[in-house]
Amino acid sequence: MSVNLTTAQTGKEEKTTIDSLYIEEIQDRKGPAKVLHAEPLYIDLIRDLGARKGEKEWNVGFGLTDNNNYDEYLALVEYEWAPIDRLGLEVELPFTFYPSNKNANTPASKLNGLKLAAQYSFFVSEKCKTSLAIGYIHEFELTDFSSYGNAKLFTGNIYNPFFVAAKRWGNNIHTLLYTGPAIQHHFHDNSSFTSWQINSNFHYMIPGTRNFIGIEFNKEVTKTDFDMTIRPQMRVSVAENILIGIVTGIPISRENERFSSFLRLIYEPGH
């Protein structure tokens, strides 16, 4: 019994040492304070919290949503970088494709818009293992592909300020809250519509790696409705600077949307 107990204690100490060394590698590089946090895969951040000057990342995403009346395919390309410490910037091109035209209610395929975003980490505490940030996303909405040349190219704006709070509990448990309003302004009738995004996240990072398993709770609140999609997910490192994220979407009480899936390819060039 004493031998087994000693072996278990030794294994636990080795895991703790590996975790500590990995966290030290990320956090204690030359530069300002930074806390290692697990970043959600579906509603991702503009850049790492506590970003350091010179960091950059490419993302390519693909998704499929099974709606009651038609299938919806998603694709995105985004580039994010940190021009100065703690400030992240991002440019994203999100696409939506509808390959089947089963009925008149099927939307037209389109480049949804041009998204420009910024995020600033105003509080980073390695002692408390906590980071806080504010940010803003501005999306210039575009008309569908079939209307190019026959209608106005830009159809509206989406204004999306947001707040992020993240904390790591010990070495492996990560929690994060991402919340803010999304205000849609439509040009054709000068109308606007506001919804609130409340996204809570829980992740467990595999000891000594960048891999994790976790779950996102993506909630949208309006004056008359509440929708939530639960998104179990995992991230796997396939090379030193390449990661793959896999997400499944399970809607709760959504009228038209059923299950969905999403794949994110992450490439981090050296800096």
Side-chain angles (χ1 to χ4, degrees):
M1 176 66 79
S2 60
V3 174
N4 291 338
L5 179 59
T6 301
T7 302
Q9 289 176 338
T10 302
K12 183 176 181 181
E13 290 173 357
E14 288 178 352
K15 285 186 177 181
T16 301
T17 301
I18 291 172
D19 288 342
S20 299
L21 290 173
Y22 178 67
I23 291 170
E24 182 178 350
E25 179 186 352
I26 299 299
Q27 292 185 177
D28 296 342
R29 292 177 180 173
K30 186 177 180 180
K34 182 175 182 178
V35 180
L36 175 66
H37 296 292
E39 181 180 352
L41 292 171
Y42 191 78
I43 306 294
D44 71 325
L45 304 180
I46 306 307
R47 186 66 214 120
D48 286 352
L49 295 171
R52 290 170 176 159
K53 181 179 179 180
E55 292 181 351
K56 47 189 175 291
E57 180 179 296
W58 283 96
N59 278 240
V60 179
F62 304 94
L64 168 63
T65 300
D66 180 16
N67 293 308
N68 289 338
N69 299 318
Y70 53 83
D71 292 332
E72 179 181 82
Y73 293 85
L74 307 175
L76 65 85
V77 178
E78 65 181 43
Y79 177 67
E80 56 189 54
W81 74 100
I84 60 174
D85 290 334
R86 296 196 175 186
L87 176 66
L89 301 178
E90 180 182 280
V91 178
E92 179 183 336
L93 298 176
F95 297 83
T96 309
F97 300 97
Y98 302 93
S100 58
N101 294 305
K102 297 178 181 179
N103 56 64
N105 295 323
T106 303
S109 299
K110 61 189 296 188
L111 167 60
N112 299 329
L114 170 63
K115 296 176 70 172
L116 306 175
Q119 173 186 287
Y120 181 73
S121 301
F122 63 89
F123 178 81
V124 179
S125 173
E126 293 182 351
K127 180 180 179 180
C128 300
K129 303 176 183 177
T130 300
S131 302
L132 304 175
I134 55 173
Y136 177 73
I137 302 173
H138 191 103
E139 181 171 357
F140 299 92
E141 292 188 292
L142 298 172
T143 190
D144 55 77
F145 293 135
S146 61
S147 298
Y148 281 11
N150 300 318
K152 290 183 178 180
L153 181 62
F154 294 97
T155 61
N157 289 311
I158 300 179
Y159 316 100
N160 181 203
F162 62 87
F163 167 76
V164 182
K167 181 173 177 62
R168 192 180 74 241
W169 307 84
N171 289 339
N172 305 103
I173 304 298
H174 300 253
T175 57
L176 184 144
L177 174 68
Y178 177 111
T179 185
I183 305 167
Q184 292 181 285
H185 176 213
H186 304 291
F187 291 161
H188 74 279
D189 58 0
N190 202 33
S191 63
S192 62
F193 175 78
T194 301
S195 61
W196 279 85
Q197 297 179 353
I198 307 171
N199 303 312
S200 46
N201 308 269
F202 302 88
H203 292 87
Y204 175 78
M205 191 165 286
I206 308 302
T209 73
R210 306 175 69 187
N211 306 336
F212 63 59
I213 56 174
I215 190 167
E216 284 185 56
F217 297 93
N218 301 140
K219 300 171 285 292
E220 184 177 81
V221 182
T222 67
K223 289 183 178 179
T224 59
D225 197 14
F226 171 82
D227 286 318
M228 180 171 74
T229 301
I230 301 173
R231 289 191 164 92
Q233 57 195 249
M234 64 181 294
R235 187 180 73 181
V236 179
S237 177
V238 296
E240 183 178 354
N241 56 357
I242 299 177
L243 303 102
I244 294 178
I246 303 170
V247 184
T248 299
I250 307 169
I252 304 299
S253 299
R254 281 187 178 267
E255 295 80 6
N256 299 312
E257 181 182 318
R258 293 184 285 192
F259 290 98
S260 63
S261 59
F262 183 74
L263 177 71
R264 183 183 292 272
L265 177 63
I266 304 164
Y267 170 62
E268 296 178 335
H271 64 274

